[in-house]
């Protein structure tokens, strides 16, 4: 599997938006879960959502549904996480990952990016 590199994190005020990007290079051919996770300070890393590399079908966690959107651009080998209506509780390190099997489980993912920090102030 190729490497994953996230970008796009930063500091925003509550209600603001950010778009995170995850480049997979060299591109991993095949059918995989391509997911986003986040880890707040002192908490477990949680699944935010994922896309299926084969068809781009995305699933979002209920906790962020209606505010976050996942999409992938196969021409750019990039996965995106569009985050709108950000809240202070959305703060944390955001990771993208590649895996197979049950896309909702952290243990299904074997390749991880280095993470990008998102800080939302009230």
């Amino acid at each position: 599997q190729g490497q994953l590199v996230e970008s796009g994190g930063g500091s925003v005020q509550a209600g603001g938006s950010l778009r995170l990007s995850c480049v997979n290079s060299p591109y991993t051919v095949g059918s995989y879960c391509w997911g986003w996770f986040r880890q707040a300070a002192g908490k477990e890393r949680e699944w935010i959502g994922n896309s299926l590399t084969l068809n781009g079908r995305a699933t979002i966690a209920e906790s962020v549904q209606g505010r976050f959107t996942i999409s992938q651009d196969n021409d750019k080998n990039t996965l995106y996480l569009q985050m709108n209506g950000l809240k202070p509780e959305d703060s944390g390190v955001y990771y993208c990952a590649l895996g197979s099997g049950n896309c909702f489980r952290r243990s299904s993912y074997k390749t991880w990016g280095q993470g990008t920090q998102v800080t939302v102030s009230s």
Side-chain angles (χ1 to χ4, degrees), residues 60-62 64-68 84:
I60 290 282
E62 285 189 12
V64 298
Q65 236 171 35
R67 298 190 298 123
F68 290 12
N84 300 325

Side-chain angles (χ1 to χ4, degrees), residues 22-96:
C22 171
V23 178
N24 177 209
S25 180
Y27 186 70
T28 304
V29 178
S31 179
Y32 292 90
C33 311
W34 199 356
W36 284 103
F37 290 75
R38 71 181 175 193
Q39 187 165 18
K43 294 188 177 181
E44 294 286 322
R45 194 171 299 186
E46 64 171 329
W47 174 82
I48 296 298
N50 69 270
S51 180
L52 298 178
T53 58
L54 191 63
N55 56 22
R57 182 176 177 179
T59 306
I60 290 282
E62 285 189 12
S63 60
V64 298
Q65 236 171 35
R67 298 190 298 123
F68 290 12
T69 304
I70 289 176
S71 61
Q72 68 179 51
D73 185 332
N74 292 334
D75 291 337
K76 296 182 179 179
N77 299 343
T78 301
L79 183 72
Y80 299 101
L81 178 65
Q82 177 68 45
M83 304 185 293
N84 300 325
L86 283 162
K87 305 174 181 180
E89 52 265 42
D90 294 319
S91 297
V93 180
Y94 282 70
Y95 299 89
C96 69

